[in-house]
Amino acid sequence: MDESYLQWLAALPGLGSDKAKRIAARFPTYEHLRAATRTELASVEALTSADLGVLEGLIRSGSGRDASGHLFLCPECGSFAG
């Protein structure tokens, strides 16, 4: 697993390292995460509806930015940035 992906997940609002590890275990890459349905996301133990909202907002927008405009994916290389 890409360590920067795990760090990126852990840095998302409300997630932290425990939830990030659970998400990464189920969806080992960003591409897997983007392809996930809400039902699949909800199958990750300990995720709240707020967590699902954060994840869906990021992966469905395709912009790599959260609602406040913080950049999470480098637009040039696609790598994860905190």
Side-chain angles (χ1 to χ4, degrees):
M1 169 188 331
D2 182 353
E3 195 62 33
S4 63
Y5 172 61
L6 189 58
Q7 291 173 351
W8 175 78
L9 284 170
L12 294 176
L15 292 188
S17 63
D18 289 339
K19 289 180 184 179
K21 288 176 186 175
R22 291 173 191 215
I23 294 166
R26 176 74 170 85
F27 308 103
T29 67
Y30 182 70
E31 291 74 24
H32 286 110
L33 186 64
R34 278 198 70 154
T37 65
R38 182 172 181 84
T39 301
E40 290 170 331
L41 291 171
S43 72
V44 176
E45 185 180 347
L47 289 186
T48 66
S49 59
D51 298 334
L52 293 174
V54 167
L55 287 170
E56 284 188 308
L58 288 170
I59 63 179
R60 304 291 182 241
S61 72
S63 70
R65 297 176 186 271
D66 67 8
S68 63
H70 291 100
L71 181 64
F72 286 105
L73 293 176
C74 174
E76 295 170 2
C77 69
S79 66
F80 297 100

